[in-house]
Amino acid sequence: MNKKVVSRILIALAIYGVFVALVVNFYDDSPSDMEWGDRESYNKQYIGKLTLEKFNFEQAIEELGSPDITEAKKIDEDSFQVTFYRTQHVKSDGFTTQDECTALLFKNGSLIAIGNTAYEQFQQL
């Protein structure tokens, strides 16, 4: 009887291990599929790791999904785009506002500023 119990435990562990491996390798947890609270946390952690001029707009869309708010303008030959990604909850009103977001400023597709200064720089252009 002990052999049966041990063999069943080993089989259950093996099945569990296969399930975990499949989830880790094949489950695509994209920001657009996350609940808003999980997405906020993900955005905050991801944005906290960014390095200026080593991150571009295409990577932002790929890794963070569509921005919650965006503005753009072109000055001479340069294009500027500021995107806002929700990173903190302020008020439960069903709307995402700039004070609930972190701004990313891109110049010609390259990240040049993060946070409140990003939007201030964008407005001064």
Side-chain angles (χ1 to χ4, degrees):
M1 184 158 163
N2 286 338
K3 287 184 180 182
K4 275 187 176 180
V5 171
V6 171
S7 66
R8 288 182 181 173
I9 290 173
L10 290 175
I11 290 171
L13 287 173
I15 291 171
Y16 177 75
V18 168
F19 175 75
V20 168
L22 289 172
V23 168
V24 168
N25 288 320
F26 296 107
Y27 180 70
D28 184 25
D29 192 19
S30 69
S32 61
D33 295 334
M34 295 179 188
E35 295 289 328
W36 67 267
D38 294 336
R39 185 170 182 206
E40 277 181 3
S41 297
Y42 175 81
N43 289 347
K44 190 172 190 171
Q45 289 177 357
Y46 192 90
I47 290 170
K49 298 176 189 176
L50 296 179
T51 304
L52 298 179
E53 299 178 355
K54 293 186 178 181
F55 187 72
N56 62 47
F57 182 75
E58 289 79 22
Q59 290 172 304
I61 297 300
E62 185 178 311
E63 297 297 326
L64 296 169
S66 295
D68 294 290
I69 303 168
T70 188
E71 294 181 32
K73 61 174 101 173
K74 188 163 183 152
I75 301 173
D76 299 325
E77 297 300 315
D78 295 319
S79 60
F80 296 88
Q81 184 164 4
V82 64
T83 59
F84 294 87
Y85 287 94
R86 188 173 176 145
T87 54
Q88 60 265 347
H89 178 76
V90 175
K91 184 178 176 185
S92 294
D93 57 4
F95 299 102
T96 298
T97 56
Q98 287 182 1
D99 63 333
E100 297 175 313
C101 298
T102 299
L104 303 177
L105 178 59
F106 298 91
K107 177 181 179 182
N108 299 324
S110 181
L111 182 66
I112 60 168
I114 301 171
N116 294 335
T117 59
Y119 191 59
E120 291 169 6
Q121 288 177 32
F122 180 78
Q123 289 178 310
Q124 292 173 1
L125 293 172

